[in-house]
Amino acid sequence: MMSTRENAQSSAPLSGLRVVDFTRVLAGPHCTKTLRDLGADVTKIEPPAGDVGRGGVPHVNQMSVYYAQQNAGKRNLSLDLNWPEAREIVAKLCKDADVIVENFRPGTLDRFGLGYVQVRAFNPSVIYVSLSGYGQTGPWRNRPAFAPTVQAEVGLTDILQHHFGEALSELRNDACSHADLYTGLHGVIAVLAALTHRNRTGEGQHVDVAMAAALLSVNERAGAQLSDVDTNGEPTALSAPDSHIFDLPDGRRVTIATSPVYSPSFMRFCAMMRRGDLLRDPRFKTAALRRQNLKPLLEEIRAWILTFDDLDALQAQVSEQNLAIGIVRTTRELAESDWARDWGAIVEVDDRGGNKMRMPGPPWRFSANTLPPPGAPAFQGEDNAAILREVGLSDEQIAALRVKGVILSRRSPRGAFD
């Protein structure tokens, strides 16, 4: 029986896919949330202490907005796996699952009889995805891993420090948890690939996804960084990540998607600015010299941009060189844009208190499928009774488990258990 919150439509691409979700915080929940938004029926298994993500601020009507963003639409079963009755219940769910996703430290679920080898014994076709910092094997397998630490280990923090070829005054972390989010999406890719393999062969499998490897794979500069080739001051990766920010006369700020340090882009800047004289300026003759004289070069570009009162006129002149401009906006400003309204980029999610929270909508449009509505975030253990009835327990048995402390539920991060 499907919860009223899990109102997935039968035409969604992953409709009918049964997912057991042992994940918490961000990487794993983002993986399973993506599967849910593609139509899968996701049952989240939450421990007595609750998902740490429930503590993410702000809270609206006792519900964490952070938690809701990654878990809306999932069913929720909260139990204590230290009880054999709880392990038996979860094993029944895993027996019927198409996909299991977990992001504990390697070996954690083995101790509860729910590791891949143990589950495979009674569900050989299962696709079991493990997300961790550094993989299930190897010298770093037991290291704790959070997005900032993995980003530091794999070079992202170093890239940020030297972003424009000039070291920042102090090291700093990125504002977004790239390692978690990319790992979650690579987990989705793993599920889809393994499903294709199973559809062809009938064979399930275990997929090991490492945060460090995921983040390294999406570093478009990695090949250049590993090549040890001296670029003579030229930015790597076509220079787009080195784009600068410029002020407009009306106070808005824009970026042009390239760096004038990069030789081909410098020629484009000179052409769109109608400044052939800059091509002959000895300060800007090479990439190394432009990097050395970056401040006066950027001053020339800023002065040119300030001659435009009309953003469309600026874009037209920039477009002559097949470049693009982007306005620096806040997330809220983007949400109010015509594009966001047309795309449906922002959706309203039930805040469980009679109102709505605004969240990012799906990034896909399928011509042959209809995606499910956003769904609502569950309180901890909210679906205990419904899920336990599905696996064959009577109301009396469910009540006994509740009294014993095997299952539990609560409505707030700090609230009392029912």
Side-chain angles (χ1 to χ4, degrees):
M1 182 183 301
M2 190 170 289
S3 156
T4 56
R5 293 191 320 279
E6 181 57 31
N7 204 11
Q9 298 170 2
S10 61
S11 67
L14 297 184
S15 177
L17 190 76
R18 293 161 298 187
V19 179
V20 172
D21 176 10
F22 286 103
T23 70
R24 72 266 192 247
V25 189
L26 185 53
H30 190 64
C31 172
T32 53
K33 177 64 162 65
T34 303
L35 296 173
R36 183 269 160 199
D37 287 346
L38 288 167
D41 180 6
V42 178
T43 299
K44 183 180 178 74
I45 310 297
E46 193 163 0
D51 187 333
V52 174
R54 288 191 183 274
V57 293
H59 285 79
V60 178
N61 292 319
Q62 303 182 13
M63 179 61 67
S64 164
V65 175
Y66 178 86
Y67 177 86
Q69 184 173 339
Q70 306 303 331
N71 293 281
K74 302 176 186 179
R75 301 199 298 168
N76 190 286
L77 172 65
S78 182
L79 38 64
D80 186 347
L81 289 176
N82 289 301
W83 291 95
E85 298 95 325
R87 297 193 292 273
E88 182 179 350
I89 290 165
V90 174
K92 288 180 180 179
L93 291 173
C94 290
K95 183 177 181 180
D96 292 330
D98 296 295
V99 176
I100 296 170
V101 185
E102 60 93 9
N103 66 340
F104 292 105
R105 286 200 202 180
T108 297
L109 286 179
D110 293 341
R111 298 198 294 270
F112 297 101
L114 296 168
Y116 171 64
V117 173
Q118 296 151 319
V119 172
R120 183 183 62 184
F122 57 79
N123 185 357
S125 65
V126 73
I127 294 163
Y128 193 112
V129 179
S130 295
L131 311 176
S132 64
Y134 304 100
Q136 301 297 298
T137 61
W140 289 4
R141 68 187 294 266
N142 289 318
R143 290 185 61 184
F146 297 91
T149 61
V150 174
Q151 289 164 196
E153 292 279 8
V154 304
L156 178 62
T157 306
D158 177 70
I159 290 173
L160 291 172
Q161 184 195 23
H162 300 96
H163 187 55
F164 294 113
E166 302 171 352
L168 298 175
S169 59
E170 62 179 277
L171 277 172
R172 65 187 66 173
N173 285 311
D174 193 277
C176 297
S177 299
H178 300 285
D180 281 316
L181 296 169
Y182 281 123
T183 301
L185 292 177
H186 275 285
V188 174
I189 294 169
V191 167
L192 299 179
L195 283 172
T196 300
H197 175 80
R198 189 176 73 180
N199 290 341
R200 187 170 60 245
T201 67
E203 180 184 37
Q205 63 181 300
H206 181 233
V207 185
D208 181 2
V209 184
M211 293 170 70
L215 194 57
L216 183 63
S217 75
V218 299
N219 175 7
E220 75 272 31
R221 300 171 179 233
Q225 291 170 325
L226 295 170
S227 70
D228 295 325
V229 174
D230 185 355
T231 64
N232 296 316
E234 296 282 4
T236 56
L238 298 177
S239 85
D242 295 309
S243 303
H244 295 273
I245 307 297
F246 303 100
D247 293 322
L248 291 173
D250 62 8
R252 288 183 294 177
R253 309 179 84 188
V254 298
T255 189
I256 300 176
T258 189
S259 169
V261 172
Y262 182 49
S263 292
S265 296
F266 175 64
M267 297 177 67
R268 290 182 175 188
F269 268 95
C270 292
M272 67 188 180
M273 293 165 61
R274 317 295 195 252
R275 290 293 304 277
D277 61 300
L278 295 179
L279 291 171
R280 299 184 294 275
D281 192 315
R283 297 174 299 172
F284 311 136
K285 190 173 181 59
T286 67
L289 287 169
R290 289 191 293 276
R291 192 177 294 279
Q292 182 180 331
N293 295 289
L294 185 58
K295 184 176 180 179
L297 177 56
L298 293 179
E299 287 175 352
E300 295 282 1
I301 298 171
R302 289 190 178 102
W304 169 71
I305 288 176
L306 288 173
T307 64
F308 289 87
D309 293 322
D310 183 355
L311 185 63
D312 290 336
L314 174 60
Q315 177 64 80
Q317 203 156 323
V318 171
S319 296
E320 291 178 3
Q321 297 300 315
N322 295 316
L323 295 174
I325 62 174
I327 300 173
V328 179
R329 304 176 191 265
T330 66
T331 305
R332 183 178 294 273
E333 287 170 343
L334 176 65
E336 303 302 328
S337 69
D338 291 340
W339 171 81
R341 284 188 287 271
D342 175 73
W343 178 266
I346 304 298
V347 297
E348 292 187 334
V349 173
D350 188 342
D351 69 359
R352 309 309 309 282
N355 293 303
K356 301 290 184 181
M357 297 182 281
R358 295 199 299 171
M359 297 285 178
W364 329 277
R365 284 180 172 178
F366 291 89
S367 64
N369 299 104
T370 301
L371 297 176
F379 291 110
Q380 185 176 345
E382 185 170 350
D383 299 298
N384 285 353
I387 294 171
L388 295 178
R389 291 189 193 105
E390 290 175 20
V391 298
L393 274 67
S394 67
D395 288 346
E396 292 75 16
Q397 290 172 310
I398 294 170
L401 291 174
R402 185 180 298 113
V403 171
K404 193 173 182 179
V406 177
I407 62 172
L408 55 144
S409 60
R410 56 181 171 183
R411 292 183 62 86
S412 116
R414 295 166 295 280
F417 291 112
D418 294 343

